[in-house]
Amino acid sequence: MNYKVMGRFISQILFVEAVFMIPALLISIYDRDWRAVIGLWGTILIILLVSVILFLVCRTAKKRFFAKEGLTCVGLSWIVLSMLGCLPFYISGEIPSYVDALFETVSGFTTTGASILTDVEAMSRGLLYWRSFSHWLGGMGVLVFILAIVPADGRSNRFTMHLLRAESPGPNVGKLAPRMRDTAKILYFLYVGLTVLDVIFLLIGRMSVFEAVCTAFGTAGTGGFGVKNTSMAGYSPYIQNVCTVFMLLFGVNFSCYYLLLLKKFKAVFKDGELRLYLGLVAASIIMITANISNMFGSVREAFHHAAFTVSSIITTTGFATENFDMWPTFSKSLLLLLMMVGACAGSTGGGLKCGRLLILMRSVRRNIRQTLNPRKVEVIRNSGNVVDERIVSGVNGYFAAYILIILVSFLLVSIDGQSIVTGFSGVIACFNNIGPGLDMVGPASNYAMFGMFSKIVLIVDMLAGRLEIFPILILLSRSTWAIKR
C-alpha cells in the first residue's frame, strides 16, 4: 500500500476544501454573523494545518498507484472531508452535537439531503451556503475536480483512472477523451455549464441570487438541501417546473451530453439506459397522476406535483412541493421503488442506477433462455454493444452487496424503536442518497429523532451509497491494511 501518495492526494483535497469555504466566510463577514465567521475561519485554519502537515510528510511519494490504493484513497478522502467539513457547524454552535454536524455534512457531500435540522431558516446564510455547496462539490465528485485542475504528467493516466473509476457512479466509467484527466475536465465543463444555466432560469423566475445559487447547487448535485423549511413548496409553479426539468437533466449520464456536443444524435437515441430512465419517469408520472388526481383541484395540478416528485425521487434529489407521505399507498409504493432504482450511471444521481437495472433484467432473461436451451450461447447487449462478462459479474456482486447492506442497516436502525416504515424507508433514503423517506422521515419531517448509533449507521450508509459500496467495504476489510511479509 502506497500510503504516501494517498496522503499527498488527501492533502490536496483538503486544501481545495479550505479554499471552497472562503465564499461562505465572506458571506458571514458581510452579514456580520460572527459566530459563523469564527466557525468557518477556525475550520479553514485547521484544515490548512492538516493539509500542510500531510503534504510535508508525504512530499517524497512515488507514483506507484493501483486499484487498491485508488479505492482506499477515495474512501479515506470522503471521510476526512466530512469529518473536517462539519466543523463550521459544530464550532459555531449552530449544530451543537458533533455527530449531528457530521450527519448533516455527510448528507451534503453525498448529495443525500437527509437533515437533522428542525428549522433550516434559523441557520446563518454563510453556513447555509456551505451546506448547499457541499451538494455541488459532492455531486460530480471532489476527486474528479482535483483531477481536472491539477497539472498532469505523462505517467499519471493510470493514477487518475483508478481515482475516477472509484468515485464516479455506475457499473463502469468510459473515457470521453484519450486521457482520464481530460475526461474529468469535460465532465466538469458540462457540470458547470448546466449549473449556470439552471441559475439563470431560476433568476428569471425572480428568485433572489442567494436562493437561486443554493437551489441550483442542490439541483445540480441532486442533493435536495433547501434554504426554506418548506423545501420548494413556497415557490412559484415556474420555479418548481425549472427544478423538475433540471433534476431530470442532471439524472442523465453526462456522456450523452458530450455525444450531443459531438452531434452524435443517433448514439444518444440508441442508449438503452437513457430510454429506460425516460420510460420509467413517464410511466411513473402518468400512474401517480391518475392515483392522486382526486386530491387536487385539477388533473393539471396533480400532474405538476407528480412530475416534480417523480423527478425528485428517481434522480435522488429529495426536493418536495407536497408531502407525498399523505398520498395513497400505491403512489408511495411506486416512489419507494423509484428510490431504489435511481438515475443513470455517470450522472450526479444515486440509487442502484438504471444501467445496473438494465443489465440485471437482461441477465435474468438470459438465464431463463439458457435454462430452456442449455447449449445456446447468448451475450448481453446494451445500446447495440456486447456487455463484458466482468461487468455483468460486477453488477451481480454489487446487487448482492446492495441488498445485504440494506437488510443489515435496517436491522441495526430498528434498535432505535422507530416504526418499520420509518426505519426501512430511512435506510433506503440514506443508502440511495435521496433524503426524505416515509412516515417519520417523510418530506415534512427529518432525522433528528434517531439516536446517535442509528445516525452513525446512516452516515456509513450515505457514504457507501455515494461511493458505490466497494470503497467503504475495502476500508473495513482486514486484508486492505494487512502488512505483507
Side-chain angles (χ1 to χ4, degrees):
M1 184 77 77
N2 192 340
Y3 294 105
K4 283 193 173 182
V5 75
M6 291 193 298
R8 191 172 70 177
F9 198 79
I10 291 173
S11 73
Q12 294 174 323
I13 292 167
L14 290 177
F15 179 80
V16 169
E17 182 178 38
V19 170
F20 279 138
M21 282 188 183
I22 293 176
L25 176 62
L26 294 177
I27 292 172
S28 298
I29 292 173
Y30 177 80
D31 290 344
R32 297 180 181 274
D33 194 325
W34 304 119
R35 287 200 312 167
V37 170
I38 292 171
L40 287 160
W41 181 239
T43 302
I44 289 172
L45 292 178
I46 292 170
I47 292 175
L48 289 177
L49 179 62
V50 174
S51 176
V52 169
I53 292 172
L54 268 176
F55 182 79
L56 292 176
V57 171
C58 305
R59 66 184 183 276
T60 58
K62 296 179 180 178
K63 280 195 175 179
R64 287 185 299 103
F65 205 82
F66 302 100
K68 183 166 78 170
E69 280 91 345
L71 291 166
T72 305
C73 186
V74 168
L76 283 175
S77 298
W78 279 71
I79 291 172
V80 173
L81 272 174
S82 300
M83 293 181 70
L84 294 177
C86 72
L87 290 179
F89 303 113
Y90 180 65
I91 294 174
S92 67
E94 296 204 20
I95 301 181
S97 165
Y98 179 80
V99 172
D100 282 350
L102 182 62
F103 183 97
E104 198 77 11
T105 304
V106 170
S107 181
F109 279 126
T110 59
T111 73
T112 303
S115 180
I116 51 82
L117 297 176
T118 55
D119 187 4
V120 173
E121 294 176 38
M123 181 168 280
S124 63
R125 289 204 314 157
L127 292 182
L128 274 179
Y129 174 89
W130 172 242
R131 179 174 175 263
S132 295
F133 183 75
S134 63
H135 277 337
W136 192 85
L137 194 57
M140 186 58 66
V142 64
L143 275 72
V144 176
F145 178 82
I146 293 290
L147 298 179
I149 64 172
V150 173
D153 59 50
R155 301 173 298 168
S156 62
N157 203 41
R158 187 177 181 86
F159 167 76
T160 57
M161 176 186 67
H162 291 311
L163 290 174
L164 187 61
R165 287 182 174 172
E167 191 180 46
S168 297
N172 65 316
V173 176
K175 291 183 179 182
L176 302 182
R179 296 190 306 171
M180 295 299 279
R181 191 175 299 273
D182 293 333
T183 296
K185 291 180 180 178
I186 292 169
L187 288 173
Y188 255 96
F189 172 79
L190 294 168
Y191 191 45
V192 171
L194 282 173
T195 304
V196 171
L197 197 60
D198 189 11
V199 171
I200 292 171
F201 276 99
L202 291 173
L203 291 175
I204 292 172
R206 296 184 179 180
M207 218 178 194
S208 71
V209 174
F210 178 78
E211 291 183 11
V213 170
C214 289
T215 301
F217 285 158
T219 306
T222 60
F225 276 156
V227 294
K228 299 287 186 183
N229 291 328
T230 55
S231 187
M232 299 301 297
Y235 294 106
S236 68
Y238 166 82
I239 288 176
Q240 293 172 358
N241 288 334
V242 168
C243 289
T244 299
V245 172
F246 276 92
M247 284 188 294
L248 289 174
L249 290 176
F250 282 105
V252 174
N253 191 324
F254 275 67
S255 299
C256 292
Y257 298 131
Y258 184 62
L259 290 173
L260 288 176
L261 290 177
L262 297 178
K263 298 182 179 180
K264 295 183 178 181
F265 305 111
K266 188 176 180 180
V268 175
F269 179 76
K270 289 175 60 179
D271 190 288
E273 182 185 34
L274 178 62
R275 286 189 288 179
L276 176 63
Y277 170 67
L278 296 178
L280 285 173
V281 169
S284 300
I285 291 173
I286 292 170
M287 288 189 287
I288 290 178
T289 299
N291 192 228
I292 66 173
S293 58
N294 63 340
M295 299 178 65
F296 296 93
S298 65
V299 174
R300 180 179 178 181
E301 187 182 357
F303 179 85
H304 168 79
H305 291 296
F308 185 97
T309 304
V310 167
S311 301
S312 179
I313 294 301
I314 197 170
T315 62
T316 70
T317 304
F319 282 144
T321 57
E322 283 285 321
N323 183 6
F324 54 76
D325 193 44
M326 304 300 294
W327 289 1
T329 301
F330 174 78
S331 293
K332 291 192 291 185
S333 300
L334 184 53
L335 291 174
L336 191 64
L337 293 175
L338 292 179
M339 288 181 188
M340 300 181 72
V341 173
C344 297
S347 70
T348 59
L352 181 64
K353 305 291 185 305
C354 289
R356 286 196 180 94
L357 178 62
L358 193 64
I359 291 174
L360 286 169
M361 289 164 45
R362 291 178 176 174
S363 180
V364 169
R365 184 180 65 182
R366 181 177 67 172
N367 290 342
I368 292 173
R369 289 179 176 178
Q370 287 183 333
T371 300
L372 297 174
N373 191 354
R375 294 185 179 182
K376 184 178 180 180
V377 177
E378 187 172 343
V379 296
I380 295 175
R381 294 181 181 274
N382 184 23
S383 305
N385 300 316
V386 176
V387 179
D388 193 305
E389 288 299 321
R390 289 177 297 180
I391 294 177
V392 177
S393 176
V395 168
N396 291 332
Y398 180 92
F399 186 65
Y402 177 90
I403 297 297
L404 183 62
I405 290 173
I406 287 176
L407 294 177
V408 172
S409 298
F410 170 58
L411 186 63
L412 293 175
V413 169
S414 67
I415 297 173
D416 223 323
Q418 304 296 335
S419 70
I420 291 177
V421 174
T422 297
F424 184 71
S425 67
V427 167
I428 293 293
C430 286
F431 186 48
N432 291 285
N433 305 133
I434 294 155
L438 300 173
D439 199 13
M440 294 299 292
V441 291
S445 308
N446 56 52
Y447 288 74
M449 89 295 263
F450 281 111
M452 183 182 297
F453 176 74
S454 293
K455 287 174 182 173
I456 291 172
V457 172
L458 295 175
I459 285 171
V460 175
D461 283 344
M462 287 188 280
L463 287 168
R466 171 58 183 86
L467 298 180
E468 305 285 285
I469 298 176
F470 292 107
I472 297 299
L473 291 183
I474 285 172
L475 285 180
L476 300 175
S477 173
R478 290 177 59 187
S479 59
T480 301
W481 311 103
I483 300 175
K484 294 184 178 180
R485 300 182 181 277

Tab-separated table of all heavy atoms in Angstrom, residues 339-377:
chain	number	residue	atom	x	y	z
A	339	MET	N	-36.973	5.127	-5.516
A	339	MET	CA	-35.836	5.449	-4.643
A	339	MET	C	-34.706	4.444	-4.836
A	339	MET	O	-33.535	4.807	-4.844
A	339	MET	CB	-36.271	5.422	-3.172
A	339	MET	CG	-37.156	6.567	-2.730
A	339	MET	SD	-37.550	6.412	-0.963
A	339	MET	CE	-38.784	7.711	-0.785
A	340	MET	N	-35.076	3.188	-4.984
A	340	MET	CA	-34.063	2.136	-5.107
A	340	MET	C	-33.459	2.110	-6.504
A	340	MET	O	-32.283	1.798	-6.666
A	340	MET	CB	-34.684	0.783	-4.768
A	340	MET	CG	-35.248	0.716	-3.358
A	340	MET	SD	-35.969	-0.870	-2.922
A	340	MET	CE	-34.518	-1.896	-2.761
A	341	VAL	N	-34.266	2.445	-7.517
A	341	VAL	CA	-33.752	2.405	-8.900
A	341	VAL	C	-32.732	3.513	-9.124
A	341	VAL	O	-31.615	3.290	-9.572
A	341	VAL	CB	-34.907	2.531	-9.907
A	341	VAL	CG1	-34.357	2.670	-11.333
A	341	VAL	CG2	-35.816	1.321	-9.825
A	342	GLY	N	-33.105	4.758	-8.833
A	342	GLY	CA	-32.183	5.877	-9.017
A	342	GLY	C	-32.080	6.316	-10.464
A	342	GLY	O	-32.859	5.916	-11.335
A	343	ALA	N	-31.078	7.158	-10.699
A	343	ALA	CA	-30.897	7.774	-12.015
A	343	ALA	C	-29.940	6.951	-12.881
A	343	ALA	O	-29.719	5.768	-12.634
A	343	ALA	CB	-30.382	9.201	-11.839
A	344	CYS	N	-29.365	7.599	-13.892
A	344	CYS	CA	-28.445	6.927	-14.812
A	344	CYS	C	-27.041	6.853	-14.221
A	344	CYS	O	-26.638	7.697	-13.417
A	344	CYS	CB	-28.385	7.669	-16.141
A	344	CYS	SG	-29.935	7.721	-17.051
A	345	ALA	N	-26.288	5.864	-14.655
A	345	ALA	CA	-24.866	5.803	-14.328
A	345	ALA	C	-24.175	6.996	-14.987
A	345	ALA	O	-24.587	7.454	-16.042
A	345	ALA	CB	-24.267	4.503	-14.850
A	346	GLY	N	-23.156	7.530	-14.326
A	346	GLY	CA	-22.444	8.663	-14.895
A	346	GLY	C	-23.163	9.982	-14.724
A	346	GLY	O	-22.781	10.984	-15.334
A	347	SER	N	-24.229	10.003	-13.891
A	347	SER	CA	-24.928	11.243	-13.571
A	347	SER	C	-24.556	11.637	-12.148
A	347	SER	O	-23.703	11.008	-11.519
A	347	SER	CB	-26.443	11.036	-13.681
A	347	SER	OG	-26.907	10.197	-12.628
A	348	THR	N	-25.211	12.667	-11.612
A	348	THR	CA	-24.962	13.029	-10.223
A	348	THR	C	-25.967	12.366	-9.289
A	348	THR	O	-25.945	12.604	-8.086
A	348	THR	CB	-25.036	14.563	-10.032
A	348	THR	OG1	-26.325	15.024	-10.435
A	348	THR	CG2	-23.973	15.257	-10.855
A	349	GLY	N	-26.869	11.556	-9.840
A	349	GLY	CA	-27.878	10.883	-9.034
A	349	GLY	C	-27.345	9.651	-8.343
A	349	GLY	O	-26.299	9.104	-8.704
A	350	GLY	N	-28.083	9.186	-7.332
A	350	GLY	CA	-27.688	7.995	-6.592
A	350	GLY	C	-28.536	6.800	-6.975
A	350	GLY	O	-29.062	6.714	-8.082
A	351	GLY	N	-28.709	5.878	-6.017
A	351	GLY	CA	-29.517	4.692	-6.252
A	351	GLY	C	-28.756	3.573	-6.933
A	351	GLY	O	-27.555	3.655	-7.193
A	352	LEU	N	-29.498	2.512	-7.234
A	352	LEU	CA	-28.911	1.348	-7.900
A	352	LEU	C	-28.400	1.696	-9.290
A	352	LEU	O	-27.413	1.145	-9.758
A	352	LEU	CB	-29.965	0.235	-7.981
A	352	LEU	CG	-29.555	-1.092	-8.616
A	352	LEU	CD1	-28.476	-1.770	-7.790
A	352	LEU	CD2	-30.768	-2.002	-8.759
A	353	LYS	N	-29.042	2.611	-9.968
A	353	LYS	CA	-28.771	3.110	-11.318
A	353	LYS	C	-29.533	2.304	-12.368
A	353	LYS	O	-29.611	1.077	-12.316
A	353	LYS	CB	-27.278	3.108	-11.680
A	353	LYS	CG	-26.388	3.873	-10.711
A	353	LYS	CD	-26.633	5.343	-10.771
A	353	LYS	CE	-25.668	6.109	-9.888
A	353	LYS	NZ	-25.614	5.716	-8.478
A	354	CYS	N	-30.072	3.016	-13.326
A	354	CYS	CA	-30.828	2.388	-14.419
A	354	CYS	C	-29.946	1.455	-15.239
A	354	CYS	O	-30.417	0.448	-15.766
A	354	CYS	CB	-31.423	3.469	-15.320
A	354	CYS	SG	-32.792	4.390	-14.571
A	355	GLY	N	-28.657	1.799	-15.357
A	355	GLY	CA	-27.737	0.948	-16.108
A	355	GLY	C	-27.609	-0.432	-15.496
A	355	GLY	O	-27.596	-1.449	-16.199
A	356	ARG	N	-27.494	-0.466	-14.166
A	356	ARG	CA	-27.398	-1.758	-13.487
A	356	ARG	C	-28.723	-2.518	-13.583
A	356	ARG	O	-28.736	-3.734	-13.765
A	356	ARG	CB	-27.023	-1.563	-12.018
A	356	ARG	CG	-25.572	-1.170	-11.793
A	356	ARG	CD	-25.185	-1.377	-10.331
A	356	ARG	NE	-23.798	-0.988	-10.133
A	356	ARG	CZ	-23.421	0.217	-9.722
A	356	ARG	NH1	-24.324	1.141	-9.483
A	356	ARG	NH2	-22.143	0.494	-9.554
A	357	LEU	N	-29.834	-1.793	-13.422
A	357	LEU	CA	-31.137	-2.449	-13.522
A	357	LEU	C	-31.317	-3.082	-14.890
A	357	LEU	O	-31.820	-4.212	-15.006
A	357	LEU	CB	-32.246	-1.425	-13.268
A	357	LEU	CG	-33.682	-1.947	-13.377
A	357	LEU	CD1	-33.947	-3.027	-12.336
A	357	LEU	CD2	-34.681	-0.803	-13.211
A	358	LEU	N	-30.875	-2.395	-15.928
A	358	LEU	CA	-30.987	-2.916	-17.298
A	358	LEU	C	-30.172	-4.198	-17.450
A	358	LEU	O	-30.640	-5.181	-18.020
A	358	LEU	CB	-30.504	-1.855	-18.282
A	358	LEU	CG	-30.818	-2.069	-19.758
A	358	LEU	CD1	-32.321	-2.047	-19.991
A	358	LEU	CD2	-30.139	-0.988	-20.602
A	359	ILE	N	-28.944	-4.188	-16.920
A	359	ILE	CA	-28.095	-5.379	-17.016
A	359	ILE	C	-28.675	-6.525	-16.205
A	359	ILE	O	-28.665	-7.690	-16.641
A	359	ILE	CB	-26.661	-5.041	-16.546
A	359	ILE	CG1	-25.993	-4.096	-17.545
A	359	ILE	CG2	-25.825	-6.317	-16.393
A	359	ILE	CD1	-24.635	-3.586	-17.105
A	360	LEU	N	-29.216	-6.238	-15.019
A	360	LEU	CA	-29.828	-7.280	-14.196
A	360	LEU	C	-31.028	-7.898	-14.894
A	360	LEU	O	-31.197	-9.124	-14.897
A	360	LEU	CB	-30.252	-6.695	-12.842
A	360	LEU	CG	-29.129	-6.396	-11.848
A	360	LEU	CD1	-29.670	-5.584	-10.675
A	360	LEU	CD2	-28.493	-7.695	-11.346
A	361	MET	N	-31.867	-7.064	-15.502
A	361	MET	CA	-33.042	-7.566	-16.209
A	361	MET	C	-32.637	-8.449	-17.386
A	361	MET	O	-33.214	-9.528	-17.597
A	361	MET	CB	-33.890	-6.387	-16.704
A	361	MET	CG	-34.614	-5.645	-15.595
A	361	MET	SD	-35.252	-4.002	-16.071
A	361	MET	CE	-36.000	-4.314	-17.649
A	362	ARG	N	-31.640	-8.024	-18.140
A	362	ARG	CA	-31.203	-8.815	-19.302
A	362	ARG	C	-30.443	-10.063	-18.867
A	362	ARG	O	-30.455	-11.075	-19.577
A	362	ARG	CB	-30.362	-7.934	-20.225
A	362	ARG	CG	-31.224	-6.865	-20.904
A	362	ARG	CD	-30.463	-5.924	-21.788
A	362	ARG	NE	-31.391	-5.006	-22.457
A	362	ARG	CZ	-31.012	-3.987	-23.216
A	362	ARG	NH1	-29.734	-3.758	-23.427
A	362	ARG	NH2	-31.923	-3.203	-23.778
A	363	SER	N	-29.806	-9.993	-17.709
A	363	SER	CA	-29.119	-11.170	-17.177
A	363	SER	C	-30.138	-12.235	-16.769
A	363	SER	O	-29.940	-13.432	-17.032
A	363	SER	CB	-28.253	-10.774	-15.977
A	363	SER	OG	-27.577	-11.892	-15.458
A	364	VAL	N	-31.227	-11.810	-16.160
A	364	VAL	CA	-32.298	-12.745	-15.781
A	364	VAL	C	-32.913	-13.367	-17.029
A	364	VAL	O	-33.143	-14.581	-17.084
A	364	VAL	CB	-33.384	-12.013	-14.950
A	364	VAL	CG1	-34.619	-12.905	-14.782
A	364	VAL	CG2	-32.833	-11.615	-13.599
A	365	ARG	N	-33.163	-12.530	-18.046
A	365	ARG	CA	-33.731	-13.044	-19.297
A	365	ARG	C	-32.787	-14.066	-19.936
A	365	ARG	O	-33.239	-15.105	-20.432
A	365	ARG	CB	-33.984	-11.885	-20.259
A	365	ARG	CG	-34.671	-12.312	-21.557
A	365	ARG	CD	-34.892	-11.124	-22.475
A	365	ARG	NE	-33.621	-10.540	-22.931
A	365	ARG	CZ	-33.524	-9.471	-23.720
A	365	ARG	NH1	-34.642	-8.858	-24.125
A	365	ARG	NH2	-32.354	-9.016	-24.086
A	366	ARG	N	-31.477	-13.784	-19.911
A	366	ARG	CA	-30.525	-14.734	-20.495
A	366	ARG	C	-30.519	-16.047	-19.720
A	366	ARG	O	-30.462	-17.138	-20.317
A	366	ARG	CB	-29.114	-14.129	-20.491
A	366	ARG	CG	-28.080	-15.068	-21.105
A	366	ARG	CD	-26.710	-14.450	-21.180
A	366	ARG	NE	-26.110	-14.230	-19.861
A	366	ARG	CZ	-24.845	-13.839	-19.685
A	366	ARG	NH1	-24.076	-13.611	-20.732
A	366	ARG	NH2	-24.357	-13.659	-18.482
A	367	ASN	N	-30.592	-15.970	-18.391
A	367	ASN	CA	-30.591	-17.193	-17.579
A	367	ASN	C	-31.817	-18.051	-17.855
A	367	ASN	O	-31.729	-19.290	-17.881
A	367	ASN	CB	-30.528	-16.832	-16.096
A	367	ASN	CG	-29.171	-16.264	-15.698
A	367	ASN	OD1	-28.189	-16.437	-16.402
A	367	ASN	ND2	-29.123	-15.571	-14.565
A	368	ILE	N	-32.955	-17.389	-18.061
A	368	ILE	CA	-34.177	-18.143	-18.383
A	368	ILE	C	-34.022	-18.858	-19.719
A	368	ILE	O	-34.367	-20.041	-19.871
A	368	ILE	CB	-35.395	-17.193	-18.404
A	368	ILE	CG1	-35.690	-16.682	-16.996
A	368	ILE	CG2	-36.627	-17.910	-18.983
A	368	ILE	CD1	-36.764	-15.614	-16.949
A	369	ARG	N	-33.503	-18.148	-20.720
A	369	ARG	CA	-33.321	-18.740	-22.047
A	369	ARG	C	-32.301	-19.877	-22.026
A	369	ARG	O	-32.482	-20.897	-22.701
A	369	ARG	CB	-32.870	-17.659	-23.030
A	369	ARG	CG	-33.973	-16.656	-23.382
A	369	ARG	CD	-33.469	-15.594	-24.336
A	369	ARG	NE	-34.537	-14.685	-24.750
A	369	ARG	CZ	-34.360	-13.638	-25.546
A	369	ARG	NH1	-33.150	-13.386	-26.042
A	369	ARG	NH2	-35.374	-12.874	-25.866
A	370	GLN	N	-31.241	-19.710	-21.219
A	370	GLN	CA	-30.230	-20.772	-21.147
A	370	GLN	C	-30.745	-21.986	-20.396
A	370	GLN	O	-30.298	-23.107	-20.632
A	370	GLN	CB	-28.967	-20.223	-20.480
A	370	GLN	CG	-28.177	-19.276	-21.381
A	370	GLN	CD	-26.892	-18.792	-20.749
A	370	GLN	OE1	-26.786	-18.715	-19.519
A	370	GLN	NE2	-25.913	-18.457	-21.567
A	371	THR	N	-31.677	-21.760	-19.476
A	371	THR	CA	-32.303	-22.888	-18.780
A	371	THR	C	-33.141	-23.707	-19.751
A	371	THR	O	-33.164	-24.937	-19.698
A	371	THR	CB	-33.186	-22.374	-17.619
A	371	THR	OG1	-32.380	-21.640	-16.701
A	371	THR	CG2	-33.858	-23.529	-16.885
A	372	LEU	N	-33.834	-23.019	-20.653
A	372	LEU	CA	-34.662	-23.695	-21.656
A	372	LEU	C	-33.813	-24.320	-22.758
A	372	LEU	O	-34.188	-25.343	-23.342
A	372	LEU	CB	-35.659	-22.707	-22.271
A	372	LEU	CG	-36.689	-22.106	-21.296
A	372	LEU	CD1	-37.522	-21.037	-21.999
A	372	LEU	CD2	-37.587	-23.215	-20.748
A	373	ASN	N	-32.658	-23.714	-23.045
A	373	ASN	CA	-31.780	-24.212	-24.109
A	373	ASN	C	-30.329	-24.123	-23.626
A	373	ASN	O	-29.612	-23.168	-23.920
A	373	ASN	CB	-31.975	-23.381	-25.378
A	373	ASN	CG	-31.296	-24.006	-26.579
A	373	ASN	OD1	-30.576	-25.006	-26.464
A	373	ASN	ND2	-31.515	-23.413	-27.749
A	374	PRO	N	-29.859	-25.123	-22.833
A	374	PRO	CA	-28.541	-25.080	-22.197
A	374	PRO	C	-27.371	-24.920	-23.166
A	374	PRO	O	-26.324	-24.383	-22.779
A	374	PRO	CB	-28.452	-26.417	-21.463
A	374	PRO	CG	-29.879	-26.860	-21.296
A	374	PRO	CD	-30.589	-26.351	-22.492
A	375	ARG	N	-27.517	-25.368	-24.404
A	375	ARG	CA	-26.402	-25.315	-25.349
A	375	ARG	C	-26.281	-23.956	-26.053
A	375	ARG	O	-25.295	-23.690	-26.724
A	375	ARG	CB	-26.554	-26.414	-26.405
A	375	ARG	CG	-26.436	-27.819	-25.820
A	375	ARG	CD	-26.470	-28.860	-26.930
A	375	ARG	NE	-26.326	-30.200	-26.400
A	375	ARG	CZ	-26.283	-31.307	-27.148
A	375	ARG	NH1	-26.374	-31.186	-28.484
A	375	ARG	NH2	-26.145	-32.493	-26.585
A	376	LYS	N	-27.290	-23.136	-25.886
A	376	LYS	CA	-27.281	-21.848	-26.579
A	376	LYS	C	-26.361	-20.856	-25.870
A	376	LYS	O	-26.443	-20.666	-24.667
A	376	LYS	CB	-28.705	-21.272	-26.652
A	376	LYS	CG	-28.789	-19.983	-27.447
A	376	LYS	CD	-30.219	-19.484	-27.532
A	376	LYS	CE	-30.310	-18.193	-28.338
A	376	LYS	NZ	-31.710	-17.695	-28.419
A	377	VAL	N	-25.468	-20.235	-26.630
A	377	VAL	CA	-24.568	-19.208	-26.097
A	377	VAL	C	-25.171	-17.835	-26.405
A	377	VAL	O	-25.412	-17.503	-27.563
A	377	VAL	CB	-23.152	-19.321	-26.709
A	377	VAL	CG1	-22.271	-18.194	-26.179
A	377	VAL	CG2	-22.551	-20.683	-26.394
